[in-house]
Amino acid sequence: MVRRRLRYTTALTTLFSYGLLFAFGQLRDFFRNLIDCFKPNNAVVKGYAPICVGLEDFFVRRLYLRVQDCFGRPIASAPDSWFDVVQRTSNDNNKTLQRTSNTTRCLNLTSYNYLGFAAADEYCIPHVVQSLKKYSASTCSARVDGGTTKLHTELEELVARFVGKPAAILFGMGYVTNSATIPCLIGKGGLIISDSLNHNSIVNGARGSDATVRAFQHNSPAHLEKVLREQVASGHPRTHRAWKKIIVIVEGIYSMEGELCKLPEIIAVCKKYKVRRIFL
């Protein structure tokens, strides 16, 4: 999937539609308040806050309820690359939605099921069921407190053999991997050169490391080399001494853009300037 810029016509018509809904919503509220002024028993009960007040309430009533069928749609099949979405109806202007027995076949373009293991798989599902019966769904404990099982150890040994290293460490989630590992690899006096569209977990890890952070244009080896050349030549901004360590951080696959990293070119630039690189 290639990342494309949003067309100005699409952006303008979207903003115009939102503005139109906002303006009509304000007009409806104005006339409703005007009519309510002439109704008896309209005073707010003393000691109680008004039920409907503020922009949040306005957004729910006048904007969100009109389009809420676009969100939180229930599915009626395994979350594979294609899945069935349940159709819903409403008899009260979308305040409540009722499910129907009809479904729509949809292409799944937003999912964390990257490898398809959540779908029907003749090989993986039996192994998963067997593992659940033997090890349960969770150890209910952090790994350092007794949450390490035989499966963790075997997987770490397998990964280490695969990449040709003496050992490997396994994390339960990618966000923690990036935000917790980067501060262990570099600290104060070091330099992190990060892709401008790196994931937020990488950004937080870089900030938590106390290292200086510089960004280069997304997936641009030429701009990376320019930034590297400037930083190697100038050194630390205050003392102009050489950096203790320089790390270039990119993503192998940019999950938010759907783009592949230009890995060979970036590796060539890093080797040219003899800096470390991390591919996440």
Side-chain angles (χ1 to χ4, degrees):
M1 183 169 61
V2 180
R3 184 173 180 264
R4 297 177 180 176
R5 292 184 179 274
L6 189 67
R7 291 184 177 182
Y8 286 112
T9 52
T10 304
L12 288 174
T13 52
T14 302
L15 290 173
F16 177 76
S17 301
Y18 183 84
L20 203 61
L21 284 173
F22 187 88
F24 273 98
Q26 292 286 358
L27 282 174
R28 289 168 66 93
D29 276 4
F30 172 77
F31 286 111
R32 187 187 68 174
N33 294 333
L34 192 64
I35 295 172
D36 287 347
C37 290
F38 299 98
K39 289 184 179 181
N41 302 324
N42 191 49
V44 177
V45 179
K46 188 175 181 180
Y48 291 90
I51 296 175
C52 300
V53 67
L55 283 176
E56 182 178 352
D57 173 70
F58 171 81
F59 173 80
V60 172
R61 290 184 293 103
R62 298 304 186 191
L63 300 177
Y64 175 73
L65 287 180
R66 296 176 179 274
V67 296
Q68 73 161 323
D69 189 37
C70 298
F71 305 97
R73 292 191 171 189
I75 65 174
S77 65
D80 205 345
S81 55
W82 288 84
F83 58 86
D84 298 327
V85 175
V86 178
Q87 295 181 9
R88 296 179 290 182
T89 60
S90 177
N91 299 320
D92 52 5
N93 295 322
N94 268 11
K95 291 182 180 179
T96 59
L97 298 172
Q98 293 80 35
R99 299 182 184 182
T100 67
S101 57
N102 300 325
T103 60
T104 303
R105 192 71 172 167
C106 296
L107 176 63
N108 189 359
L109 293 177
T110 169
S111 172
Y112 279 163
N113 184 27
Y114 299 119
L115 301 178
F117 291 159
D121 186 276
E122 296 179 356
Y123 177 80
C124 292
I125 289 179
H127 288 78
V128 170
V129 173
Q130 183 180 0
S131 178
L132 288 173
K133 290 180 179 179
K134 185 176 181 179
Y135 296 99
S136 78
S138 172
T139 57
C140 300
S141 172
R143 290 191 60 187
V144 294
D145 296 331
T148 300
T149 67
K150 183 180 178 181
L151 290 178
H152 292 106
T153 305
E154 290 179 354
L155 180 56
E156 287 178 340
E157 292 175 353
L158 179 64
V159 171
R161 290 198 304 269
F162 179 76
V163 298
K165 299 297 180 180
I169 184 171
L170 184 66
F171 288 84
M173 61 181 296
Y175 197 103
V176 174
T177 305
N178 298 337
S179 59
T181 304
I182 293 174
C184 299
L185 299 176
I186 191 170
K188 193 172 183 180
L191 173 66
I192 295 175
I193 301 181
S194 177
D195 189 288
S196 59
L197 293 185
N198 272 342
H199 193 269
N200 187 54
S201 58
I202 300 175
V203 175
N204 286 338
R207 289 175 177 173
S209 67
D210 287 334
T212 302
V213 181
R214 295 288 183 268
F216 67 95
Q217 293 175 4
H218 172 59
N219 221 6
S220 173
H223 191 248
L224 169 62
E225 183 172 5
K226 179 182 178 182
V227 174
L228 265 174
R229 189 188 305 115
E230 292 175 353
Q231 294 301 320
V232 170
S234 61
H236 197 275
R238 291 185 179 180
T239 62
H240 298 289
R241 294 180 179 177
W243 298 100
K244 293 181 179 179
K245 184 187 295 185
I246 299 178
I247 293 180
V248 176
I249 304 179
V250 297
E251 293 188 56
I253 299 178
Y254 293 89
S255 58
M256 305 305 293
E257 287 73 33
E259 289 182 286
L260 293 173
C261 171
K262 294 180 180 178
L263 198 56
E265 296 91 336
I266 290 177
I267 289 178
V269 172
C270 292
K271 286 183 176 180
K272 179 179 178 180
Y273 290 88
K274 298 180 181 180
V275 300
R276 294 178 174 87
R277 55 270 182 193
I278 301 178
F279 310 111
L280 302 170

